[in-house]
Amino acid sequence: MLRPKVPTNPTPTGIVTPPAVIEPTTIAQHPAAPAPTPVAPAPTRPTVQLTPGAVVLVVGAVLVSMLLAVAITAASLAICALVIRSLITADGKRR
């Protein structure tokens, strides 16, 4: 019924010229520069070592934040349940 038209590439018009050939340029060799003096390697950064007290603080902070998130979610669900229950009981009293 409805057939899409597939576009065809038009044939090139005019004179088509081949691309120009680029010849490599010669590289002139300059006298060798003196070798650079070796640079001392940069000192490596010390690795961070966590003490057991720091690990306890980090784990405690993560656990407290998770507990707080659960408590906020539970409180909001409880409020939603009370609102829905009051709406249902109010609708039942009207009839």
Side-chain angles (χ1 to χ4, degrees), residues 16-44:
V16 178
T17 57
V21 177
I22 300 174
E23 296 181 14
T25 57
T26 58
I27 300 174
Q29 294 290 335
H30 295 290
T37 57
V39 179
T44 58

Side-chain angles (χ1 to χ4, degrees), residues 3-93:
R3 292 184 172 222
K5 285 188 175 182
V6 179
T8 57
N9 291 332
T11 57
T13 58
I15 300 173
V16 178
T17 57
V21 177
I22 300 174
E23 296 181 14
T25 57
T26 58
I27 300 174
Q29 294 290 335
H30 295 290
T37 57
V39 179
T44 58
R45 296 191 317 181
T47 57
V48 177
Q49 294 180 352
L50 294 176
T51 61
V55 173
V56 168
L57 287 176
V58 170
V59 171
V62 169
L63 290 177
V64 167
S65 64
M66 290 173 61
L67 179 65
L68 185 62
V70 169
I72 291 172
T73 304
S76 64
L77 285 176
I79 292 172
C80 288
L82 289 175
V83 169
I84 291 173
R85 187 174 72 174
S86 67
L87 288 175
I88 291 174
T89 56
D91 188 39
K93 289 181 182 180

